[in-house]
């Protein structure tokens, strides 16, 4: 089986690792991939979607896996173009990927399907947004388009809201687009993932992402500074409620609205006092949640995704282990405002009993790994209990060093009961 994974980050590195461990032993390719991914997959060069499809045909690709989201909505859409070329794709068509690409589309879908979520108003201008906020803080402002995880601001004051409106609606940092003014939901956050193929679904191990740059959830939003995953992250009752009120109606809605969904779907949830409410959908696995979830999974992910892309979700192919997985991100100097490339990373050979996934690295002429982007590495450890997994992840991450490295010190600790010392 020939599989091509689209993407180049830590999530794709973890997906490719899991695919490479599949008993069906697929031959792996990646576009565009990275120097680290090259140890698992042959890198494919392409210039745009049409050229990528031509390459996939040339290589007799049996399955295309959408790691990252941007190609799902580019041009005619990755899955649509794969379908036209007769290549099964694990990732939704452009119509379904609107759930991530347009926050207004997603909100209207949730409302049509009666899925619990915060109240929201769509706005075309900064003035419309000011009217919708109506002086009520905190409020949440969301740019209605892809913004690499940076298009959302939780604003506690008018000054914060004004800064965001200026940047996004006046200076147009993310280009043209509308804005949602959304009710601020309170509660612990949980990321739930499901594999969806038509009307069939399977829920994966829940995870929690740490999006802010600094300890204690301070500092700016990032793509994610760490994650923790476990079947014990939510109670059985909570998971059943998430399934009944959110996952099932979403899958039923995707079928009813003929969105042709196949692939991973990500439910960003807030566990409010009134029950779980959805903050956002993403049409892919989370990054860095994927790096935490994948090591807790065993089975044949390759065949699972291929069959899923062909319309059959075979739950017997994969299993989820008990225990906890903790993923720590090492980011480069300046992240998330800027990033610094070219800092040499040392200590890989000292890491034991943890996985290291590369998000933003490259090999220099001397064969050393260097930083090459904002999020650089993910270090992931598992254990039966959360405390041991946290301890192991932090012990192992300390071996990896580069100039200006940043990380949080409270991953797997904040938003949980205190650990026994
Ligand atoms: P997003 O880019 O949609 O994942 O949002 C980034 C972060 O903003 C989320 O992980 C939440 O922490 C926060 N957020 C988004 N929407 C809301 C909301 N309605 N209420 C409270 N926090 C929110
Ligand atoms: N970890 C957040 C995301 O993947 O969007």
């Amino acid at each position: 089986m020939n599989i091509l994974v689209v993407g180049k980050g830590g999530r794709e590195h973890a997906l490719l690792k899991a695919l490479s461990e599949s008993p069906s032993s697929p031959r792996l390719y990646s576009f565009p991939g990275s120097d680290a991914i090259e140890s698992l997959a042959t890198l494919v060069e392409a210039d745009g979607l049409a050229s990528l499809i031509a390459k996939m045909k040339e290589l007799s690709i049996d399955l295309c896996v959408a790691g990252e989201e941007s190609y799902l909505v580019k041009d005619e859409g990755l899955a649509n173009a794969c379908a036209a070329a007769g290549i099964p794709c694990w990732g939704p068509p452009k119509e379904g990927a609107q759930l991530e690409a347009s926050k207004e589309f997603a909100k209207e879908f949730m409302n049509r399907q009666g899925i619990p979520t915060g109240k929201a108003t769509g706005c075309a201008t900064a003035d419309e947004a000011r009217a919708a906020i109506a002086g009520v803080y905190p409020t949440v402002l969301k740019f209605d388009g892809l913004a690499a995880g940076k298009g959302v601001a939780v604003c506690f004051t008018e000054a914060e809201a004004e800064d965001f409106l200026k940047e996004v609606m006046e200076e147009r940092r993310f280009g043209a687009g509308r804005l949602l003014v959304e009710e601020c939901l309170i509660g612990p956050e949980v990321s739930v993932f499901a594999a969806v193929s038509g009307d069939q679904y399977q829920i994966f191990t829940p995870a929690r992402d740490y999006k802010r740059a600094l300890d204690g959830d301070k500092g700016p939003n990032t793509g994610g500074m760490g994650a923790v995953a476990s079947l014990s992250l939510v109670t059985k009752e909570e998971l059943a409620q998430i399934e009944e009120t959110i996952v099932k109606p979403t899958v039923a809605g995707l079928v009813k609205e003929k969105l042709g969904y196949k692939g991973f779907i990500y439910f960003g949830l807030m566990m409010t006092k009134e029950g779980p409410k959805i903050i956002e959908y993403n049409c892919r696995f989370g990054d860095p949640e994927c790096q935490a979830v994948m090591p807790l999974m065993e089975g044949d992910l390759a065949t699972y995704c291929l069959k899923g892309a062909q319309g059959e979700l075979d739950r017997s192919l994969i299993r989820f282990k008990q225990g906890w997985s903790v993923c720590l991100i090492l980011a480069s100097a300046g992240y998330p405002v800027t990033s610094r490339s070219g800092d040499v990373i040392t200590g890989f050979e000292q890491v034991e009993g943890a996985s290291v996934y590369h998000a933003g690295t490259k090999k220099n002429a001397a064969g050393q790994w260097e930083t090459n982007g904002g999020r650089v590495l993910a270090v992931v450890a598992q254990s039966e209990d959360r405390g041991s997994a946290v301890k192991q992840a932090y012990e192992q991450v300390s071996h990896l060093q580069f100039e200006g490295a940043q990380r949080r010190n409270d991953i797997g600790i904040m938003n949980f009961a205190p650990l026994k010392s």
Side-chain angles (χ1 to χ4, degrees):
M1 185 193 331
N2 294 331
I3 303 182
L4 180 135
V5 174
V6 176
K8 61 179 166 53
R11 169 184 47 214
E12 288 75 28
H13 195 192
L15 273 175
L16 280 154
K17 185 80 189 355
L19 290 167
S20 75
E21 288 166 356
S22 296
S24 51
S25 305
R27 182 189 289 265
L28 297 174
Y29 296 86
S30 180
F31 166 76
S34 66
D35 289 351
I37 284 175
E38 202 172 7
S39 68
L40 297 167
T42 305
L43 303 191
V44 171
E45 282 178 36
D47 182 17
L49 188 53
S51 135
L52 177 60
I53 297 286
K55 281 274 163 63
M56 284 199 267
K57 283 176 106 169
E58 210 178 288
L59 294 165
S60 304
I61 295 296
D62 300 297
L63 171 68
C64 173
V65 173
E68 62 124 306
E69 65 279 13
S70 68
Y71 274 82
L72 294 171
V73 290
K74 221 175 253 174
D75 304 328
E76 74 262 45
L78 176 68
N80 310 58
C82 281
I87 303 168
C89 181
W90 185 242
K94 192 169 184 174
E95 300 73 25
Q98 293 307 314
L99 283 183
E100 173 165 5
S102 165
K103 293 196 185 290
E104 204 163 9
F105 176 90
K107 189 60 81 173
E108 285 165 5
F109 174 89
M110 293 168 206
N111 290 336
R112 277 196 300 277
Q113 304 304 332
I115 299 166
T117 185
K119 288 184 200 65
T121 312
C123 305
T125 63
D127 277 337
E128 277 183 40
R130 289 182 187 105
I133 297 169
V136 178
Y137 294 97
T139 188
V140 181
L141 305 182
K142 297 187 170 182
F143 176 67
D144 190 24
L146 294 180
K150 293 175 191 137
V152 174
V154 180
C155 303
F156 290 88
T157 62
E158 187 178 342
E160 285 173 5
E162 281 303 322
D163 281 351
F164 189 81
L165 288 177
K166 185 162 167 256
E167 201 181 318
V168 173
M169 298 306 277
E170 289 165 5
E171 291 164 7
R172 291 287 175 188
R173 175 175 176 197
F174 306 117
R178 288 165 63 82
L179 183 99
L180 277 188
V181 174
E182 189 171 291
E183 170 193 1
C184 187
L185 302 174
I186 311 286
E189 276 186 71
V190 177
S191 310
V192 168
F193 307 93
V196 176
S197 181
D199 62 351
Q200 308 152 68
Y201 66 87
Q202 181 171 22
I203 297 175
F204 279 43
T205 309
R208 175 164 296 147
D209 176 22
Y210 291 75
K211 285 205 174 73
R212 298 295 195 102
L214 306 175
D215 288 1
D217 271 355
K218 302 276 186 325
N221 253 329
T222 70
M225 291 297 288
V228 48
S230 176
L231 292 171
S232 310
L233 190 70
V234 292
T235 63
K236 280 209 173 76
E237 293 71 30
E238 284 170 328
L239 193 60
Q241 200 182 5
I242 291 168
E243 181 168 3
E244 283 308 313
T245 63
I246 293 179
V247 179
K248 269 192 192 166
T250 298
V251 175
L254 291 170
V255 173
K256 226 183 290 167
E257 301 196 8
K258 301 192 169 45
L259 294 173
Y261 206 100
K262 283 174 194 160
F264 293 119
I265 186 162
Y266 168 136
F267 303 88
L269 305 177
M270 196 72 92
M271 305 299 287
T272 75
K273 285 206 183 90
E274 299 105 65
K277 292 192 181 181
I278 179 153
I279 298 174
E280 62 161 349
Y281 291 113
N282 291 315
C283 296
R284 51 173 174 78
F285 227 101
D287 185 342
E289 292 99 320
C290 185
Q291 293 89 310
V293 169
M294 283 299 140
L296 290 173
M297 191 204 66
E298 49 192 15
D300 194 338
L301 183 67
T303 308
Y304 181 84
C305 294
L306 176 64
K307 282 181 134 183
Q310 291 168 332
E312 184 203 348
L313 204 69
D314 185 348
R315 292 175 187 79
S316 70
L317 286 169
I318 55 169
R319 291 164 298 285
F320 301 102
K321 294 185 263 187
Q322 296 293 331
W324 290 78
S325 182
V326 172
C327 166
L328 310 178
I329 295 290
L330 278 175
S332 70
Y335 182 73
V337 181
T338 58
S339 64
R340 200 167 78 193
S341 295
D343 293 306
V344 172
I345 311 165
T346 59
F348 288 99
E349 65 293 345
Q350 291 170 52
V351 176
E352 261 179 57
S355 311
V356 180
Y357 299 115
H358 292 233
T361 67
K362 67 171 186 303
K363 257 202 179 143
N364 66 20
Q368 298 162 304
W369 289 108
E370 295 184 346
T371 62
N372 185 35
R375 290 188 291 177
V376 177
L377 294 169
V379 175
V380 191
Q382 291 78 46
S383 190
E384 272 171 34
D385 63 283
R386 179 169 53 91
S388 312
V390 167
K391 187 161 173 274
Q392 170 68 354
Y394 275 104
E395 267 172 29
Q396 297 309 313
V397 81
S398 68
H399 298 307
L400 294 165
Q401 299 194 343
F402 54 87
E403 187 81 25
Q406 313 181 50
R407 64 170 157 82
R408 279 183 61 159
N409 299 296
D410 57 357
I411 307 298
I413 298 169
M414 190 187 167
N415 291 325
F416 285 103
L419 291 169
K420 290 183 204 90
S421 51

